[in-house]
Amino acid sequence: MSSLFDLLRELFSYGFVIRAMIVGLLVSLCAALLGVTLVLKRYSMIGDGLSHVGFGTLAVALSLNLAPLQLSIPVVLVAAFLLLRLSENSRIKGDAAIALISSSALAIGVVVISLTTGMNADVCNYMFGAILALSVSDVYLSVGVALVVLIMYVLSYNRIFAVTFDENFARATGMEASSYNMLIAALTAMVIVVGMRMMGAMLISSLIIFPALTSMRVFSSFKRVVICSGVLSVFCFFIGMVVSFGFSTPAGASVVLINLAAFCVFSAAGRAGLKV
Amino acid sequence: MVSCRNVSVSYEGFSAVEDVTFDVLAGDYLCVVGENGSGKSSLMKSILGLIKPTSGRVTFDGLGPAEIGYLPQRTNVQQDFPASVHEVVISGRAGRHGPFAFYSRSDRARVDENLERLGIADLRRKSYRDLSGGQRQRALLARALCAAERLVMLDEPVAGLDPMMASEMYDILEGLNRDGMTIVMISHDMKGALRYGNRILHMRKKVLFFGASDEYVGTDAYRLLNAEGGE
């Protein structure tokens, strides 16, 4: 027990760990809340697509010596609206179009990197995350983004539920359903950009998808699913970071594996008949 | 209450509704009948503002869009959705508030009232995904009633229900209509439509018949639908 305590004390003696914890916990919470709606509306692929687009713009920004986040946020926002339109329009195969966009963005990013800085350890960091990448200004930015997401989410909660459950009904009863879809997409884009550098472009979408899916195995009301997703996501992130530090494993991948473990536990509990 | 004038709807060049004109009067129980693909749902959606008519006009007489209740076709609502009955029903009130509002005490009272009315007050804490087909339809009807003051539009409310549940549903609707609720219902169940509805709109892209239900039997349109096995 004391060795765990020592580990935690050592962990929190590093500035970069504290920064990673702050950013990670906030991003995990926001991603989990948005994830419930994205998963239920079958928009999970949007999260995945956005992270690939994020990787592409990050690569371009770095090769042009532009500020990475300042360029990524607007580009990923535009991509979010585009992907949303593709998913809403059933005539074009939405999922296939998203897959095309995300792999193209990834390819552009890789080519740009190899032409400029060359494929090196940095590329690996962008793809799979690096907690050392976070600066103090990143922390401020992520706190700001997280506050915006949380406030908008809480204020719009009832309408987000209505639009998630039955968009046609929501529209028929006078709600601007498409603006709520855009709100969700925009908030998701911001969370992904902020969380991407730490979790990695390839892994950030798991923060959106896992907690919601896990909670739905056991919980059966929307509010409980939302609350459980938030709590679970924060918990898994924290455990993942401790594991990563203790065993020197990559942070992003460790968090994903803890989420996978939680999913397995909740699935087993759900199958065993535990429904709350 | 609602008047449709020369409404046409087409999707991507395919015309679904052609030049439909009719009125819904306060207190009506209007049944919309016709074969599959005859444009019934498209017409309803254009009245609800979900799709834009390519031409023609839908006007409401003293009725805002937040005052119409809607019961969508069953297949259009997710069946495996984690939500309690209470959450589903109260979402019928969401359109009445500003963008950032919470539910008020009167919203909750309205939910209780409608749950009682439909006999599902004991299900309020249950999960929507654990309900039977008939219970789900009632929960969705309760949601529609929370949104509606005077008009509900129902897209095949009894489709997929067993005869028992279907007749319970009809009883509920009859009671609502007696209490002054105007009902517009798409139905494949001709017997039910003739028995309960006071007026019939028979569609085949265009209007084949529109008028009182007792005048409908004996028209060519009626024979046509029945001869073609329109149930």
Side-chain angles (χ1 to χ4, degrees), chain A residues 184-219:
Chain A
I184 293 286
L187 297 179
T188 307
M190 295 200 294
V191 168
I192 281 176
V193 171
V194 170
M196 192 173 61
R197 291 215 289 169
M198 184 184 50
M199 286 296 293
M202 300 296 109
L203 299 174
I204 181 74
S205 59
S206 65
L207 283 190
I208 290 175
I209 298 164
F210 259 124
L213 274 185
T214 303
S215 309
M216 280 173 220
R217 299 297 114 192
V218 168
F219 291 95

Side-chain angles (χ1 to χ4, degrees), chain B residues 112-121 137-143 145 169 172-173 176:
Chain B
D112 292 340
E113 187 187 308
N114 284 316
L115 288 174
E116 286 292 336
R117 204 172 182 181
L118 299 187
I120 50 171
Q137 284 299 85
R138 286 191 194 201
L140 294 181
L141 181 60
R143 175 183 68 158
L145 293 176
M169 194 70 175
I172 290 168
L173 294 175
L176 289 171

Side-chain angles (χ1 to χ4, degrees), chain A residues 40 42 91 154-159 161-162 164-166 168-169 171-173 175 180 216 219-223 225, chain B residues 12 50 65-66 68 70 72 77-78 81-83 87-88 91-92 94-95 97-103 127 129 143 147:
Chain A
L40 285 170
R42 320 229 148 105
R91 193 161 60 127
V154 170
L155 286 179
S156 312
Y157 173 81
N158 287 327
R159 290 182 157 229
F161 171 82
T164 307
F165 180 68
D166 186 350
N168 272 338
F169 180 88
R171 283 166 62 202
T173 53
M175 269 175 265
Y180 285 88
M216 280 173 220
F219 291 95
S220 53
S221 91
F222 190 75
K223 194 190 261 172
V225 167
Chain B
E12 294 152 18
L50 298 178
I68 304 174
Y70 173 44
V77 179
Q78 295 194 51
F81 193 100
E87 285 177 319
V88 169
S91 73
H97 297 289
F100 300 124
F102 297 100
Y103 294 125
S127 181
R129 61 184 174 189
R143 175 183 68 158

